[in-house]
Amino acid sequence: MMKGIDFTDMPKRNKTYAGASGSKIAVIYENEQYMIKFPSIPTKNKDLSYSNSCFSEYLGCKIYECAGIPVQKTILGIYRVKDREKIVVACRDFTEPGITLQDFASLKNRMIDSERNGYGTELADILYTIEDQTAVDKVSLSDRFWDMFVVDAFIGNWDRHNGNWGFLYDTRTDQMKLAPVFDCGSSLYPQADERMMKLILSDHNERNLRIYEKPTSAILLNGRKIKYFDFMSSLQYEDCNRAIKRTVPKIDMKKVLSIIEETSYISDLQREFYSTMLSSRKERILDYVLNHLSRDTVYISGDKLSKDSVLKKLEHNKQEIGSRTDTEAKTVGNSRDQQERI
């Protein structure tokens, strides 16, 4: 296991970074600029002294790299503040003089009428923007959106909104290209403490709840946050289906588990938790949907299915892979806040 880097005495830069998730500073490491992200204060679980968002950021980006998707380089390390050492994640700054980061929301604001917000995450509006914009190649932009959706389903990212993915804009040439993926700190159950991890690992229903029901995507379908399994297993969106076929075979679980094993600072319990949840999400969401795409041509034909047909198919899917029964789902659902992110 490699020891993390001590970023405390690295040369500082005056560049500032926006965002609400924890403090951030700029340093120079090995002649490159990095943004140091400090752990954010937990909002849901007050029992944590700090959230696990630094581990989520690091592992989430490493998993994107495994999937072959351009992603921000991340390094785990420490930063000393007075008499305390804090675990931090360093994210390489992929901007440079003349190259600025522009989020998808800014592009959406150009394309959507004034009654709608660029940060609104209704799927129909996002897809309209992708199709109608002319700043970047439409196919490449659509592929990136759906590839991110698939990987975010794998790592349980509940906060991929229009402000944390986008483009690099060259002010000299007026050209734009896709930026590497960044901001994965809301994945891998960042506010789960030891008690919660032990509960999820030991209780079949608790684990299923966090595979099939939550975390949800930040993307909305008809005003409701998308549940990854239900949406993907409906097989109704051709571009999503293609992203599953394109991306899932690239995710090598041996490599993913090796990354977890070699990650500094995390406990044995965290290793077991991350390994178990990622293996389960890969098998029960991604692999399952990919297998059905290979057999279930009726859903790939482009024909629109009735709501009842989709619901029946989803219920069959859940029963087939050993999900909770309806009675178990109601019991768990009534005993938990469905908006809880862990």
Side-chain angles (χ1 to χ4, degrees), residues 61 64 69-73 92-95 99 101 144 148 160 164-168 177-184:
C61 288
Y64 262 98
I69 299 171
V71 64
Q72 186 174 45
K73 180 180 179 180
R92 192 175 72 82
D93 190 331
F94 44 72
T95 65
I99 305 292
L101 177 64
R144 173 60 60 83
M148 286 195 307
R160 180 71 64 196
N164 59 12
W165 72 285
F167 318 91
L168 295 176
K177 66 179 182 179
L178 289 167
V181 174
F182 61 97
D183 198 354
C184 296

Side-chain angles (χ1 to χ4, degrees), residues 211-258:
I211 295 171
Y212 299 116
E213 303 296 327
K214 61 182 180 181
T216 58
S217 170
I219 307 300
L220 305 178
L221 183 63
N222 299 323
R224 297 175 66 90
K225 288 186 176 181
I226 288 173
K227 294 180 181 180
Y228 285 115
F229 175 82
D230 288 0
F231 181 90
M232 293 170 68
S233 62
S234 75
L235 310 184
Q236 290 189 94
Y237 282 82
E238 290 290 342
D239 288 338
C240 184
N241 295 341
R242 282 190 285 269
I244 293 167
K245 292 180 177 180
R246 180 171 60 242
T247 303
V248 174
K250 297 177 183 178
I251 301 174
D252 185 337
M253 280 307 301
K254 288 184 179 179
K255 290 183 180 179
V256 172
L257 296 178
S258 178

Side-chain angles (χ1 to χ4, degrees), residues 5 16-17 75 108 113 145 157 173-174 182-183 221 318 322:
I5 305 299
T16 59
Y17 298 97
I75 306 170
K108 189 168 178 281
D113 61 74
F145 172 77
N157 191 345
T173 65
D174 196 37
F182 61 97
D183 198 354
L221 183 63
K318 289 185 178 181

Side-chain angles (χ1 to χ4, degrees), residues 22-36:
S23 301
K24 306 175 182 71
I25 61 172
V27 304
I28 300 298
Y29 171 65
E30 293 188 342
N31 297 318
E32 293 186 307
Q33 185 160 298
Y34 281 79
M35 173 181 65
I36 304 296

Side-chain angles (χ1 to χ4, degrees), residues 50-291:
Y50 59 86
S51 76
N52 294 315
S53 59
C54 289
F55 300 131
S56 298
E57 185 81 62
Y58 173 77
L59 290 171
C61 288
K62 289 295 183 182
I63 290 168
Y64 262 98
E65 186 177 3
C66 282
I69 299 171
V71 64
Q72 186 174 45
K73 180 180 179 180
T74 54
I75 306 170
L76 277 178
I78 60 170
Y79 196 97
R80 295 190 301 275
V81 180
K82 296 181 179 179
D83 58 344
R84 294 182 59 192
E85 279 188 357
K86 293 191 174 185
I87 298 171
V88 298
V89 59
C91 305
R92 192 175 72 82
D93 190 331
F94 44 72
T95 65
E96 58 186 78
I99 305 292
T100 63
L101 177 64
Q102 293 190 357
D103 58 26
F104 182 77
S106 61
L107 179 66
K108 189 168 178 281
N109 274 333
R110 289 175 51 190
M111 309 306 302
I112 300 296
D113 61 74
S114 59
E115 295 180 2
R116 296 170 181 169
N117 190 314
Y119 288 95
T121 57
E122 184 65 44
L123 179 60
D125 288 348
I126 292 172
L127 298 182
Y128 169 80
T129 301
I130 291 172
E131 179 61 29
D132 207 47
Q133 60 79 38
T134 57
V136 295
D137 178 68
K138 296 176 184 179
V139 174
S140 298
L141 182 55
S142 177
D143 286 352
R144 173 60 60 83
F145 172 77
W146 287 113
D147 288 350
M148 286 195 307
F149 186 88
V150 172
V151 178
D152 283 342
F154 177 40
I155 63 178
N157 191 345
W158 51 262
D159 197 35
R160 180 71 64 196
H161 52 75
N162 297 335
N164 59 12
W165 72 285
F167 318 91
L168 295 176
Y169 172 66
D170 191 325
T171 61
R172 300 156 297 189
T173 65
D174 196 37
Q175 298 297 307
M176 290 173 61
K177 66 179 182 179
L178 289 167
V181 174
F182 61 97
D183 198 354
C184 296
S186 296
S187 59
L188 294 170
Y189 315 91
Q191 296 195 38
D193 59 12
E194 287 191 0
R195 180 194 64 82
M196 182 63 69
M197 290 181 186
K198 290 177 181 177
L199 177 64
I200 295 171
L201 288 172
S202 63
D203 190 310
H204 174 76
N205 289 338
E206 292 285 350
R207 192 159 59 253
N208 278 343
L209 178 67
R210 287 160 180 85
I211 295 171
Y212 299 116
E213 303 296 327
K214 61 182 180 181
T216 58
S217 170
I219 307 300
L220 305 178
L221 183 63
N222 299 323
R224 297 175 66 90
K225 288 186 176 181
I226 288 173
K227 294 180 181 180
Y228 285 115
F229 175 82
D230 288 0
F231 181 90
M232 293 170 68
S233 62
S234 75
L235 310 184
Q236 290 189 94
Y237 282 82
E238 290 290 342
D239 288 338
C240 184
N241 295 341
R242 282 190 285 269
I244 293 167
K245 292 180 177 180
R246 180 171 60 242
T247 303
V248 174
K250 297 177 183 178
I251 301 174
D252 185 337
M253 280 307 301
K254 288 184 179 179
K255 290 183 180 179
V256 172
L257 296 178
S258 178
I259 290 170
I260 296 170
E261 183 62 30
E262 295 171 2
T263 297
S264 304
Y265 306 115
I266 62 176
S267 66
D268 289 341
L269 175 61
Q270 285 174 297
R271 284 192 176 85
E272 182 184 3
F273 178 73
Y274 292 141
S275 298
T276 298
M277 296 308 296
L278 285 170
S279 296
S280 297
R281 295 184 73 88
K282 174 69 160 49
E283 177 186 359
R284 299 187 184 188
I285 301 177
L286 301 191
D287 291 345
Y288 178 79
V289 175
L290 180 61
N291 289 337

